[in-house]
Amino acid sequence: MSLNKSLLIPLGVFIGLVILLALGFGLRDPHFLPSQLIDKPFPQFSLAELSDPDRTITTDDINGQVSIVNVWATWCAACLVEHPELLRISREEGIRVIGVNYNDESVKARAWLARHGNPYAFTIVDDAGRLAIDLGVYGAPETFLVDATGVIRYRHVGAVTPEIWQNTLAPAIALLKGDPS
Amino acid sequence: MRGLLLVLVCLVPMVNAAIDAYPFPNDELRARYHALIDELRCPQCLNTNLAGSDAMIASDLRREVHRLLLEGKSDQEVLDFMQARYGDFILYEPRLTLPTVFLWFGPLIFLVVAGLTGIVVVRRGASDPVEKPDTARLDELLHGRSDARSDTRSDPHTDSHSERQEPP
Protein backbone atom coordinates (compact mmCIF):
# COMPACT_ATOMS: atom_id res chain seq x y z
CA MET A 1 0.00 0.00 0.00
CA SER A 2 2.74 2.47 0.95
CA LEU A 3 4.51 1.55 -2.30
CA ASN A 4 1.47 2.65 -4.36
CA LYS A 5 1.38 6.05 -2.64
CA SER A 6 5.03 6.80 -3.35
CA LEU A 7 4.44 5.89 -7.00
CA LEU A 8 2.08 8.87 -7.21
CA ILE A 9 4.84 11.35 -6.34
CA PRO A 10 6.36 11.51 -9.87
CA LEU A 11 2.85 12.00 -11.28
CA GLY A 12 2.30 14.91 -8.89
CA VAL A 13 5.66 16.44 -9.82
CA PHE A 14 4.81 16.02 -13.51
CA ILE A 15 1.42 17.75 -13.15
CA GLY A 16 3.08 20.55 -11.19
CA LEU A 17 5.65 21.03 -13.95
CA VAL A 18 2.93 21.09 -16.62
CA ILE A 19 1.08 23.84 -14.72
CA LEU A 20 4.30 25.81 -14.15
CA LEU A 21 5.35 25.61 -17.80
CA ALA A 22 1.84 26.45 -19.04
CA LEU A 23 1.91 29.58 -16.87
CA GLY A 24 5.40 30.45 -18.04
CA PHE A 25 5.06 29.82 -21.76
CA GLY A 26 1.42 29.62 -22.69
CA LEU A 27 -0.82 32.00 -20.83
CA ARG A 28 1.45 35.04 -20.81
CA ASP A 29 2.62 37.16 -23.74
CA PRO A 30 6.39 36.64 -23.63
CA HIS A 31 7.00 39.88 -25.50
CA PHE A 32 5.37 42.00 -22.80
CA LEU A 33 7.80 43.93 -20.59
CA PRO A 34 6.34 45.70 -17.55
CA SER A 35 7.19 49.40 -17.52
CA GLN A 36 9.74 50.63 -14.99
CA LEU A 37 8.39 54.19 -15.20
CA ILE A 38 5.00 53.78 -13.56
CA ASP A 39 4.57 56.44 -10.85
CA LYS A 40 7.78 58.14 -11.98
CA PRO A 41 7.93 61.62 -13.53
CA PHE A 42 7.99 61.95 -17.31
CA PRO A 43 11.67 62.05 -18.39
CA GLN A 44 13.35 65.40 -19.02
CA PHE A 45 13.71 66.26 -22.70
CA SER A 46 13.96 69.20 -25.11
CA LEU A 47 13.00 68.31 -28.66
CA ALA A 48 11.50 69.93 -31.75
CA GLU A 49 7.82 69.90 -32.67
CA LEU A 50 6.89 68.02 -35.84
CA SER A 51 4.80 70.57 -37.75
CA ASP A 52 6.73 73.57 -36.38
CA PRO A 53 10.42 72.52 -36.10
CA ASP A 54 11.40 75.94 -34.72
CA ARG A 55 9.29 75.29 -31.64
CA THR A 56 10.99 73.41 -28.80
CA ILE A 57 8.93 71.09 -26.62
CA THR A 58 10.12 70.36 -23.10
CA THR A 59 8.83 68.39 -20.14
CA ASP A 60 6.96 71.51 -18.96
CA ASP A 61 4.69 71.21 -22.00
CA ILE A 62 3.57 67.78 -20.80
CA ASN A 63 2.69 68.92 -17.28
CA GLY A 64 -0.51 70.74 -16.35
CA GLN A 65 -3.24 68.37 -17.47
CA VAL A 66 -3.95 64.67 -17.75
CA SER A 67 -2.59 63.55 -21.13
CA ILE A 68 -2.22 60.53 -23.34
CA VAL A 69 1.30 60.30 -24.79
CA ASN A 70 1.35 58.07 -27.86
CA VAL A 71 4.64 56.80 -29.34
CA TRP A 72 4.19 56.23 -33.07
CA ALA A 73 6.02 56.04 -36.41
CA THR A 74 5.19 55.80 -40.08
CA TRP A 75 6.99 52.41 -40.29
CA CYS A 76 4.70 50.99 -37.61
CA ALA A 77 1.71 49.07 -38.99
CA ALA A 78 -0.16 48.84 -35.70
CA CYS A 79 0.00 52.65 -35.41
CA LEU A 80 -2.26 52.89 -38.45
CA VAL A 81 -4.62 50.37 -36.83
CA GLU A 82 -5.01 52.46 -33.65
CA HIS A 83 -5.11 55.78 -35.52
CA PRO A 84 -8.91 56.05 -35.95
CA GLU A 85 -9.40 55.39 -32.22
CA LEU A 86 -6.83 58.06 -31.30
CA LEU A 87 -8.60 60.51 -33.62
CA ARG A 88 -11.91 59.69 -31.97
CA ILE A 89 -10.45 60.06 -28.46
CA SER A 90 -8.90 63.45 -29.22
CA ARG A 91 -12.13 64.73 -30.77
CA GLU A 92 -14.75 63.25 -28.48
CA GLU A 93 -13.24 62.46 -25.11
CA GLY A 94 -11.88 65.84 -24.13
CA ILE A 95 -8.38 64.59 -23.31
CA ARG A 96 -5.13 65.90 -24.72
CA VAL A 97 -3.28 63.41 -26.93
CA ILE A 98 0.43 64.09 -27.42
CA GLY A 99 2.45 62.32 -30.11
CA VAL A 100 6.05 61.13 -29.96
CA ASN A 101 7.30 60.48 -33.48
CA TYR A 102 9.78 57.70 -32.82
CA ASN A 103 12.84 56.92 -35.01
CA ASP A 104 11.20 58.42 -38.06
CA GLU A 105 11.72 60.96 -40.83
CA SER A 106 9.82 64.18 -40.17
CA VAL A 107 8.93 64.67 -43.84
CA LYS A 108 7.30 61.24 -43.96
CA ALA A 109 5.64 61.79 -40.58
CA ARG A 110 4.06 65.11 -41.62
CA ALA A 111 2.75 63.50 -44.83
CA TRP A 112 1.38 60.57 -42.82
CA LEU A 113 -0.54 62.88 -40.48
CA ALA A 114 -1.82 64.96 -43.42
CA ARG A 115 -3.11 61.79 -45.04
CA HIS A 116 -4.60 59.98 -42.03
CA GLY A 117 -5.59 62.93 -39.82
CA ASN A 118 -3.80 64.44 -36.81
CA PRO A 119 -5.06 63.54 -33.34
CA TYR A 120 -2.10 65.16 -31.56
CA ALA A 121 -2.13 68.49 -29.75
CA PHE A 122 1.56 68.52 -30.63
CA THR A 123 4.07 65.91 -31.75
CA ILE A 124 7.55 65.55 -30.27
CA VAL A 125 10.22 64.71 -32.85
CA ASP A 126 12.29 61.87 -31.34
CA ASP A 127 14.17 60.98 -34.50
CA ALA A 128 17.13 59.56 -32.56
CA GLY A 129 14.96 57.50 -30.20
CA ARG A 130 16.55 59.06 -27.09
CA LEU A 131 13.30 60.09 -25.40
CA ALA A 132 11.91 56.65 -26.25
CA ILE A 133 14.80 54.97 -24.42
CA ASP A 134 14.23 57.23 -21.40
CA LEU A 135 10.59 56.12 -21.52
CA GLY A 136 11.62 52.45 -21.67
CA VAL A 137 9.98 52.11 -25.10
CA TYR A 138 11.03 49.00 -27.04
CA GLY A 139 8.67 49.21 -30.02
CA ALA A 140 5.73 51.13 -31.41
CA PRO A 141 3.01 51.83 -30.65
CA GLU A 142 3.22 52.42 -26.92
CA THR A 143 0.84 54.69 -25.07
CA PHE A 144 1.43 56.39 -21.73
CA LEU A 145 -1.07 57.96 -19.38
CA VAL A 146 0.45 61.01 -17.68
CA ASP A 147 -1.32 62.81 -14.84
CA ALA A 148 -1.56 66.60 -14.37
CA THR A 149 1.64 66.69 -12.30
CA GLY A 150 3.58 65.00 -15.10
CA VAL A 151 3.80 61.58 -13.46
CA ILE A 152 3.43 58.49 -15.66
CA ARG A 153 0.54 56.43 -14.35
CA TYR A 154 -0.03 53.74 -16.95
CA ARG A 155 1.58 52.31 -20.06
CA HIS A 156 -0.08 50.29 -22.80
CA VAL A 157 1.99 48.25 -25.29
CA GLY A 158 0.37 47.75 -28.70
CA ALA A 159 -2.54 49.39 -30.47
CA VAL A 160 -5.11 51.37 -28.50
CA THR A 161 -8.32 49.62 -29.50
CA PRO A 162 -11.85 50.78 -28.55
CA GLU A 163 -11.85 47.94 -25.97
CA ILE A 164 -8.61 49.20 -24.40
CA TRP A 165 -10.10 52.67 -24.23
CA GLN A 166 -13.39 51.44 -22.78
CA ASN A 167 -11.98 49.01 -20.22
CA THR A 168 -8.66 50.53 -19.20
CA LEU A 169 -7.84 54.04 -20.34
CA ALA A 170 -11.23 55.73 -19.83
CA PRO A 171 -11.69 54.52 -16.21
CA ALA A 172 -8.07 55.37 -15.36
CA ILE A 173 -8.44 58.89 -16.82
CA ALA A 174 -11.67 59.42 -14.91
CA LEU A 175 -9.83 58.45 -11.73
CA LEU A 176 -6.86 60.73 -12.48
CA LYS A 177 -9.09 63.69 -13.30
CA GLY A 178 -11.10 63.20 -10.13
CA ASP A 179 -8.05 62.87 -7.90
CA PRO A 180 -4.93 64.50 -9.34
CA SER A 181 -2.63 63.41 -6.53
CA MET B 1 37.39 20.85 -43.08
CA ARG B 2 36.15 20.33 -39.54
CA GLY B 3 38.76 22.70 -38.22
CA LEU B 4 37.62 25.36 -40.68
CA LEU B 5 33.98 24.90 -39.61
CA LEU B 6 34.97 25.20 -35.96
CA VAL B 7 36.83 28.43 -36.67
CA LEU B 8 33.81 29.81 -38.59
CA VAL B 9 31.42 28.91 -35.76
CA CYS B 10 33.70 30.64 -33.27
CA LEU B 11 33.72 33.72 -35.48
CA VAL B 12 29.90 34.08 -35.45
CA PRO B 13 29.63 36.09 -32.18
CA MET B 14 32.42 38.40 -33.33
CA VAL B 15 30.63 39.05 -36.62
CA ASN B 16 27.40 39.82 -34.77
CA ALA B 17 29.13 42.14 -32.35
CA ALA B 18 30.57 44.16 -35.19
CA ILE B 19 27.25 45.27 -36.75
CA ASP B 20 28.02 48.92 -36.17
CA ALA B 21 31.58 50.13 -35.95
CA TYR B 22 31.79 52.78 -33.25
CA PRO B 23 35.03 54.65 -32.79
CA PHE B 24 36.71 54.23 -29.40
CA PRO B 25 39.67 56.18 -28.09
CA ASN B 26 41.27 53.03 -26.67
CA ASP B 27 41.02 49.25 -26.70
CA GLU B 28 40.07 49.07 -23.03
CA LEU B 29 36.87 51.05 -23.72
CA ARG B 30 36.12 48.94 -26.78
CA ALA B 31 36.51 45.77 -24.73
CA ARG B 32 34.13 47.13 -22.07
CA TYR B 33 31.64 48.10 -24.81
CA HIS B 34 31.65 44.56 -26.22
CA ALA B 35 31.36 43.02 -22.76
CA LEU B 36 28.35 45.24 -21.99
CA ILE B 37 26.47 44.58 -25.22
CA ASP B 38 27.10 40.86 -24.66
CA GLU B 39 25.68 41.07 -21.15
CA LEU B 40 22.63 43.23 -21.97
CA ARG B 41 19.54 41.61 -23.40
CA CYS B 42 17.57 43.07 -26.30
CA PRO B 43 14.18 44.16 -24.87
CA GLN B 44 12.35 43.52 -28.14
CA CYS B 45 13.74 40.02 -28.58
CA LEU B 46 13.05 37.00 -26.43
CA ASN B 47 16.54 35.64 -26.01
CA THR B 48 19.20 37.64 -27.80
CA ASN B 49 21.74 40.03 -26.40
CA LEU B 50 22.27 43.54 -27.77
CA ALA B 51 25.33 42.35 -29.65
CA GLY B 52 23.46 39.66 -31.52
CA SER B 53 20.28 41.52 -32.44
CA ASP B 54 19.54 43.67 -35.45
CA ALA B 55 16.29 44.97 -33.93
CA MET B 56 15.99 48.76 -34.05
CA ILE B 57 15.87 49.09 -30.27
CA ALA B 58 19.02 46.95 -29.96
CA SER B 59 20.95 49.21 -32.31
CA ASP B 60 19.64 52.29 -30.43
CA LEU B 61 20.72 50.78 -27.12
CA ARG B 62 24.17 49.89 -28.49
CA ARG B 63 24.50 53.54 -29.47
CA GLU B 64 23.48 54.54 -25.93
CA VAL B 65 26.05 52.18 -24.40
CA HIS B 66 28.71 53.71 -26.63
CA ARG B 67 27.62 57.24 -25.70
CA LEU B 68 27.54 56.49 -21.96
CA LEU B 69 31.00 54.90 -22.08
CA LEU B 70 32.43 57.90 -23.93
CA GLU B 71 30.86 60.12 -21.26
CA GLY B 72 33.03 58.23 -18.76
CA LYS B 73 30.30 56.16 -17.11
CA SER B 74 31.33 52.99 -15.31
CA ASP B 75 29.99 49.56 -16.32
CA GLN B 76 27.78 49.60 -13.24
CA GLU B 77 26.32 52.99 -14.22
CA VAL B 78 25.54 51.74 -17.73
CA LEU B 79 23.79 48.66 -16.31
CA ASP B 80 21.87 50.89 -13.85
CA PHE B 81 20.82 53.16 -16.72
CA MET B 82 19.41 50.20 -18.65
CA GLN B 83 17.83 48.57 -15.62
CA ALA B 84 16.02 51.81 -14.67
CA ARG B 85 14.36 51.90 -18.10
CA TYR B 86 13.84 48.27 -19.06
CA GLY B 87 13.89 46.42 -15.73
CA ASP B 88 15.59 43.18 -14.75
CA PHE B 89 14.70 41.67 -18.12
CA ILE B 90 17.56 43.52 -19.79
CA LEU B 91 20.21 42.08 -17.47
CA TYR B 92 21.35 38.59 -18.46
CA GLU B 93 22.87 38.31 -15.00
CA PRO B 94 19.91 39.25 -12.79
CA ARG B 95 20.57 41.11 -9.57
CA LEU B 96 19.88 39.51 -6.21
CA THR B 97 16.53 41.02 -5.22
CA LEU B 98 13.51 39.54 -3.50
CA PRO B 99 11.83 38.39 -6.76
CA THR B 100 15.09 36.84 -8.04
CA VAL B 101 15.99 34.96 -4.83
CA PHE B 102 14.42 31.75 -6.18
CA LEU B 103 16.27 32.23 -9.46
CA TRP B 104 19.60 32.38 -7.64
CA PHE B 105 19.04 29.77 -4.95
CA GLY B 106 16.47 27.55 -6.69
CA PRO B 107 19.12 25.21 -8.11
CA LEU B 108 20.70 24.89 -4.65
CA ILE B 109 17.29 24.02 -3.16
CA PHE B 110 16.78 21.40 -5.89
CA LEU B 111 20.23 19.96 -5.17
CA VAL B 112 19.53 19.69 -1.43
CA VAL B 113 16.08 18.13 -2.02
CA ALA B 114 17.53 15.67 -4.54
CA GLY B 115 20.41 14.79 -2.18
CA LEU B 116 18.09 14.22 0.79
CA THR B 117 15.75 12.14 -1.39
CA GLY B 118 18.73 10.08 -2.51
CA ILE B 119 19.89 9.48 1.06
CA VAL B 120 16.39 8.49 2.19
CA VAL B 121 15.95 6.11 -0.75
CA VAL B 122 19.34 4.46 -0.20
CA ARG B 123 18.80 4.08 3.55
CA ARG B 124 15.33 2.69 3.09
CA GLY B 125 16.73 0.26 0.55
CA ALA B 126 19.40 -0.94 3.00
CA SER B 127 16.90 -1.67 5.78
CA ASP B 128 14.11 -2.86 3.53
CA PRO B 129 12.03 -5.51 5.37
CA VAL B 130 11.45 -7.25 2.04
CA GLU B 131 15.07 -8.37 1.96
CA LYS B 132 15.10 -9.99 5.40
CA PRO B 133 13.22 -13.18 4.51
CA ASP B 134 15.46 -13.40 1.45
CA THR B 135 18.68 -13.39 3.45
CA ALA B 136 17.21 -15.87 5.90
CA ARG B 137 16.32 -18.15 3.03
CA LEU B 138 19.72 -17.60 1.52
CA ASP B 139 21.40 -18.56 4.79
CA GLU B 140 19.30 -21.63 4.91
CA LEU B 141 20.22 -22.57 1.40
CA LEU B 142 23.88 -21.84 1.93
CA HIS B 143 23.87 -23.72 5.16
CA GLY B 144 22.27 -26.71 3.46
CA ARG B 145 24.81 -26.60 0.68
CA SER B 146 27.81 -26.10 2.94
CA ASP B 147 26.71 -29.23 4.84
CA ALA B 148 26.58 -31.09 1.60
CA ARG B 149 29.99 -29.73 0.64
CA SER B 150 31.61 -30.67 3.96
CA ASP B 151 30.18 -34.11 3.43
CA THR B 152 31.94 -34.38 0.11
CA ARG B 153 35.12 -32.97 1.61
CA SER B 154 35.21 -35.54 4.37
CA ASP B 155 34.78 -38.13 1.71
CA PRO B 156 37.14 -40.96 2.63
CA HIS B 157 38.39 -41.06 -0.99
CA THR B 158 40.14 -37.72 -0.65
CA ASP B 159 41.48 -38.10 2.88
CA SER B 160 42.35 -41.79 2.79
CA HIS B 161 45.87 -41.04 1.60
CA SER B 162 46.76 -38.87 4.60
CA GLU B 163 45.15 -41.41 6.92
CA ARG B 164 47.45 -44.04 5.61
CA GLN B 165 50.54 -42.01 6.40
CA GLU B 166 49.59 -41.77 10.05
CA PRO B 167 51.78 -43.77 12.29
CA PRO B 168 50.13 -46.90 13.64
Side-chain angles (χ1 to χ4, degrees):
Chain A
M1 275 297 133
S2 64
L3 196 72
N4 282 347
K5 264 185 200 165
S6 66
L7 275 177
L8 287 176
I9 293 173
L11 183 69
V13 169
F14 174 72
I15 290 170
L17 268 180
V18 166
I19 292 170
L20 191 75
L21 294 179
L23 287 175
F25 292 118
L27 308 175
R28 198 176 63 89
D29 176 11
H31 281 280
F32 178 76
L33 265 189
S35 176
Q36 302 298 307
L37 281 107
I38 303 301
D39 294 334
K40 299 216 173 103
F42 200 89
Q44 294 291 320
F45 69 95
S46 177
L47 291 164
E49 206 273 330
L50 182 67
S51 56
D52 180 10
D54 292 333
R55 184 179 161 202
T56 302
I57 309 277
T58 65
T59 315
D60 293 336
D61 295 295
I62 305 274
N63 300 342
Q65 54 176 299
V66 180
S67 312
I68 289 173
V69 177
N70 175 247
V71 180
W72 68 282
T74 57
W75 45 260
C76 145
C79 298
L80 198 56
V81 172
E82 68 173 1
H83 207 64
E85 181 63 10
L86 289 176
L87 282 167
R88 191 197 65 76
I89 291 168
S90 72
R91 279 171 196 160
E92 295 174 12
E93 304 290 352
I95 178 147
R96 185 173 66 167
V97 182
I98 298 167
V100 175
N101 187 228
Y102 168 48
N103 271 359
D104 210 348
E105 292 167 40
S106 291
V107 177
K108 277 191 192 169
R110 279 191 287 268
W112 197 88
L113 286 183
R115 187 173 164 202
H116 300 293
N118 186 355
Y120 306 116
F122 54 84
T123 299
I124 302 155
V125 178
D126 186 28
D127 50 357
R130 287 282 305 279
L131 174 61
I133 288 175
D134 285 342
L135 280 167
V137 166
Y138 59 99
E142 287 193 22
T143 303
F144 293 85
L145 207 55
V146 184
D147 72 13
T149 59
V151 172
I152 295 171
R153 290 314 189 97
Y154 183 75
R155 195 254 333 233
H156 174 71
V157 174
V160 173
T161 59
E163 290 74 38
I164 294 289
W165 169 261
Q166 200 77 46
N167 300 331
T168 313
L169 293 179
I173 289 167
L175 209 70
L176 288 179
K177 282 189 169 174
D179 172 35
S181 58
Chain B
M1 189 59 197
R2 256 189 202 176
L4 179 71
L5 269 178
L6 194 70
V7 168
L8 285 177
V9 166
C10 292
L11 278 175
V12 167
M14 290 189 210
V15 172
N16 277 339
I19 291 172
D20 21 39
Y22 286 117
F24 286 95
N26 55 57
D27 286 346
E28 185 253 334
L29 214 57
R30 182 177 293 112
R32 281 174 56 205
Y33 168 78
H34 285 298
L36 280 168
I37 64 171
D38 269 341
E39 192 176 329
L40 288 165
R41 187 177 183 179
C42 160
Q44 176 75 67
C45 328
L46 282 186
N47 203 2
T48 316
N49 56 12
L50 289 186
S53 171
D54 53 4
M56 193 179 64
I57 185 65
S59 109
D60 284 358
L61 290 178
R62 284 196 298 267
R63 188 198 58 213
E64 284 302 292
V65 171
H66 173 250
R67 182 181 66 82
L68 291 167
L69 286 179
L70 286 194
E71 279 179 10
K73 297 279 196 290
S74 70
D75 289 0
Q76 191 58 45
E77 281 170 323
V78 174
L79 294 177
D80 287 345
F81 175 95
M82 294 297 171
Q83 204 258 345
R85 284 156 183 78
Y86 293 98
D88 287 330
F89 181 92
I90 201 161
L91 306 173
Y92 260 129
E93 196 173 296
R95 287 168 182 184
L96 185 57
T97 58
L98 204 59
T100 61
V101 163
F102 186 72
L103 204 61
W104 279 101
F105 297 109
L108 196 69
I109 294 168
F110 279 123
L111 188 70
V112 168
V113 168
L116 290 178
T117 310
I119 289 169
V120 166
V121 165
V122 167
R123 282 205 179 151
R124 205 184 272 169
S127 61
D128 204 321
V130 180
E131 276 187 18
K132 273 183 179 165
D134 271 4
T135 45
R137 194 164 152 61
L138 201 66
D139 274 350
E140 213 176 272
L141 282 170
L142 286 174
H143 186 68
R145 249 192 216 169
S146 71
D147 282 350
R149 264 188 146 187
S150 60
D151 281 353
T152 50
R153 236 193 248 163
S154 60
D155 198 317
H157 293 292
T158 49
D159 289 348
S160 54
H161 185 68
S162 59
E163 259 175 52
R164 259 189 237 162
Q165 283 194 326
E166 264 176 35

